[in-house]
Amino acid sequence: MALKCTLVSEEARIPETLSRLPELAYNLLWSWRPEISELFARLDGELWEQSGHNPVLLLLHTRNLEAAARDGGFLAAYERALEALEGYLGAPIRGDLPGPVAYFSAEFGLHESLPVYSGGLGVLAGDHLKSASDLGVPMVGVGILYSEGYFRQRIGPDGRQQEVYEALDPGKLPVRPLLDDEGREVRIEVGLPGRGLLLRIWRVEVGRVPLLLLDANLPENAPEDRRITARLYGGGPRTRIAQELVLGVGGVRALRAAGFSPAVFHMNEGHAAFSGLERMREFVLAGRSFEAAWEEAASTGVFTTHTPVPAGHDAFPPELFWEFMSGWPEKLGTSPEGLWALGRAGAGDAFNMTALAMNLSAATNAVSALHRGVTEKMWGRPVTHVTNGVHTESWLAPRLAALFDRYGRGWRVAVDDPEAWRFVREIPAAELWEAHVEAKREALALVKRVSGRPLDPEALTIGFARRFATYKRATLLLRDPERLRRIAEDPERPVQFVFAGKAHPADEPGKAFIRELHGAAEALGGRLVVLEDYDIGIARYLVQGVDVWLNNPRRPLEASGTSGQKAALNGVPNLSVLDGWWPEAYNGRNGWAVGEEREYASEEEQDAVDAAALYAALEEEVVPLYYRREKSGVPEGWVEVMREAIATVAPAFSARRMVRDYLRGLYLPRLPKGL
Ligand SMILES: *Cc1c(COP(=O)(O)O)cnc(C)c1O
């Protein structure tokens, strides 16, 4: 199967001496290897920023190529970047899997220039692919190229969220179409009521892991069908079921069309559960019975669930389900009742995608130890858990990485080994502090650029950035405005807050949170800022450069959470409710716990108790420790918490540890016996 080599090289008139720039641009390795991304920044710094760090757009528009081709310094950097890419691509691949792991997800968050994610679920999927690539685990991702992405967020002067949709031009993204041997774009088809839907396949190179993205925006499809893949989590239930057919059924067909024979099929959330039905259909077509096909498909299936509330799971009412799926019982060699039973959940009269995914996989896992218990209770069946982690090199500030390189050896190739992080305790406080102050300066400069508001570089700065889902309680801190004001406006020890995040367009309570925070920003006169259009790019600055990362979900609704892991890795300690991953990490020295590990009679009581605990933690622990300075100005006690946060969280909550857990506990056991 051919891949059109470079779209860019045809249009961008790349000089011969730099002819391999498109290879560098089309492999997302640049998103976690500064020696490659710095080459693009060096080629055209202004355009690099303007393009949102998109090297494909950069190569198409820069006027600096001819000059760069004559610049000895640039040519040397170009050679080094190529060496980095070649060295990376040439490292050995694990030989213990007979085929790749196919990893299905409705969203992938790899970089801000490829906006096909909404939040933590997508970033987790992106980090999973990157770490599999680092580890040489054969893997192929399957997702959707949304022609309008998620949405860009504007916040009006009244604090109202406005959603702005922009058409993405795939020709300007780091994606290339899959072509057949004659050089034509490959098309696959998925059945919809009374018609077929054609799909194009885009390929993204994530280091050594390819990601296939499906796209219905083709002239051959009817105008309304072209919009099926327009928006992530957009439209109503009809769009949702059609998107899930694209992802699940289309995804398996895309893998076949691209020549992959996966050994394991991993469904990240229930959105991809139709992939199991398509695999059953393949087995039935090859002559198996319904039961045998079910057993075969399930034996190589792995399912990760992320949603601790019943209402969060996709479920389709019978009329809608049968409108789209009427032909499927026959395809699967069963009756309508036989198919319906695969998606039955409790007494509910809807086809439940989580139930389907559980029924079509040999193992289901939750994403933290706490979430495992919640999931088992909700579904009444045993599951396992693999706690989420983050891709170290994507989230670690380059300056801090350089400091780590000076004091430690080997951490980059063993980021999941706690021993490899012992050096952190040897870094002199002044040096670690200085690196943090530098990251903070950059984060506050970003806040100024985005919001126009200058923050105080000396003030304790607390960050809260994630989707504005109501269970995350972004406004908990506002419960007692007077107490908050006293904390923020203390003349000796001021505290300032940065909030950012998007609310789903249909989530009115989530949007109300943004308005409330916006109002608080006015009232607190400069000590609270709400940033608009949160994305991976803004996330990187914030997790690297605020002083404390705040997380106060309504326990136990945060299945894992990962943003706090990114922060801790950068020496930004967590101030967090003991929910999701935090109870596994918190040791009394690497951050602060908010509230208690118990259940409450009402949400009102829980909010009141947690808010009081949050204020108390700030007043009694966080603020005093931050402002306790040595004569040199370095807060030694604080830096000790930073060291502890890095040394304990970086290895245990790395995506490298996570992918290895999946490999050992969930992927390898799926292989045929005797391998
Ligand atoms: C990591 C990340 C998240 C996840 O945040 P949580 O606090 O785990 O919910 C959301 N959005 C972006 C852009 C991220 O990078």
Side-chain angles (χ1 to χ4, degrees), residues 196-435:
L197 179 73
L198 289 175
L199 298 166
R200 169 164 49 190
I201 304 165
W202 298 95
R203 192 174 146 136
V204 186
E205 310 302 326
V206 185
R208 298 187 280 177
V209 168
L211 165 60
L212 308 180
L213 295 178
L214 297 155
D215 170 15
N217 186 20
L218 294 171
E220 300 95 302
N221 291 325
E224 56 290 5
D225 283 353
R226 296 180 69 160
R227 295 197 52 79
I228 286 172
T229 55
R231 297 177 181 178
L232 171 60
Y233 306 139
R238 300 176 64 81
T239 304
R240 181 61 75 94
I241 196 171
Q243 282 190 351
E244 294 189 1
L245 282 164
V246 167
L247 179 62
V249 177
V252 173
R253 294 180 187 170
L255 287 166
R256 305 298 183 211
F260 291 102
S261 304
V264 176
F265 291 78
H266 186 167
M267 296 169 272
N268 187 41
E269 262 301 12
H271 310 123
F274 285 142
S275 63
L277 293 186
E278 171 63 6
R279 295 200 299 122
M280 282 179 68
R281 191 191 65 85
E282 291 179 334
F283 287 121
V284 170
L285 207 61
R288 308 290 160 71
S289 69
F290 172 72
E291 285 75 19
W294 180 2
E295 206 179 306
E296 290 259 16
S299 70
T300 49
V302 170
F303 170 53
T304 303
T305 178
H306 297 260
T307 313
V309 279
H313 298 260
D314 270 337
F316 300 113
E319 319 77 61
L320 179 67
F321 181 79
W322 289 120
E323 182 188 338
F324 281 79
M325 304 301 288
S326 58
W328 278 80
E330 193 188 327
K331 290 189 179 98
L332 299 176
T334 186
S335 61
E337 293 72 31
L339 171 54
W340 187 259
L342 291 176
R344 183 175 293 135
D349 186 26
F351 190 89
N352 186 297
M353 295 298 279
T354 303
L356 179 66
M358 284 183 167
N359 284 327
L360 292 180
S361 51
T364 293
N365 73 284
V367 290
S368 70
L370 183 62
H371 178 229
R372 174 190 190 156
V374 173
T375 303
E376 288 183 335
K377 215 156 125 190
M378 184 161 58
W379 290 95
R381 57 167 114 185
V383 303
T384 176
H385 78 276
V386 176
T387 304
N388 289 163
V390 297
H391 185 252
T392 313
E393 288 183 299
S394 291
W395 294 105
L396 183 58
R399 183 171 293 98
L400 209 50
L403 180 65
F404 291 174
D405 283 337
R406 229 174 308 135
Y407 285 91
R409 232 164 292 134
W411 63 273
R412 282 180 193 266
V413 290
V415 291
D416 54 339
D417 178 3
E419 291 299 310
W421 290 89
R422 287 169 68 101
F423 70 87
V424 171
R425 309 194 194 266
E426 315 298 322
I427 302 176
E431 288 190 45
L432 192 53
W433 182 244
E434 195 189 328

Side-chain angles (χ1 to χ4, degrees), residues 426-578:
E426 315 298 322
I427 302 176
E431 288 190 45
L432 192 53
W433 182 244
E434 195 189 328
H436 171 68
V437 166
E438 192 54 34
K440 183 172 178 180
R441 200 185 53 74
E442 291 184 9
L444 298 192
L446 170 96
V447 171
K448 176 83 196 304
R449 270 203 307 281
V450 174
S451 71
R453 304 221 178 191
L455 286 177
D456 176 358
E458 305 297 327
L460 169 60
T461 304
I462 297 185
F464 182 109
R466 47 181 64 85
R467 291 180 305 114
F468 279 111
T470 46
Y471 77 86
K472 292 176 186 270
R473 297 192 296 187
T475 55
L476 188 71
L477 194 67
L478 310 182
R479 263 184 87 93
D480 183 342
E482 262 321 298
R483 197 162 173 189
L484 175 61
R485 177 192 304 282
R486 281 199 302 277
I487 294 170
E489 296 182 356
D490 184 313
E492 303 294 312
R493 307 184 304 183
V495 182
Q496 58 195 3
F497 300 88
V498 181
F499 283 83
K502 295 175 177 175
H504 185 277
D507 180 7
E508 289 305 328
K511 291 181 179 179
F513 278 4
I514 300 177
R515 287 200 298 280
E516 267 185 69
L517 284 165
H518 190 265
E522 306 277 295
L524 276 178
R527 292 281 181 216
L528 193 155
V529 173
V530 185
L531 289 186
E532 61 182 11
D533 209 22
Y534 188 53
D535 68 358
I536 289 176
I538 294 179
R540 240 184 356 255
Y541 279 99
L542 295 185
V543 298
Q544 293 171 2
V546 298
D547 295 309
V548 173
W549 197 253
L550 174 64
N551 188 27
N552 46 235
R554 186 174 283 128
R555 188 176 177 279
L557 298 185
E558 189 59 271
S560 167
T562 51
S563 63
Q565 301 170 350
K566 303 166 195 168
L569 172 67
N570 283 287
V572 174
N574 282 262
L575 168 61
S576 174
V577 165
L578 284 162

Side-chain angles (χ1 to χ4, degrees), residues 98-145:
V101 174
Y103 186 92
F104 288 71
S105 182
E107 45 173 315
F108 282 92
L110 290 154
H111 187 260
E112 59 269 27
S113 64
L114 191 57
V116 293
Y117 62 92
S118 96
L121 181 73
V123 175
L124 178 80
D127 281 5
H128 195 99
L129 298 192
K130 290 173 181 175
S131 291
S133 169
D134 289 347
L135 283 161
V137 174
M139 190 171 286
V140 49
V142 180
I144 294 178
L145 186 72

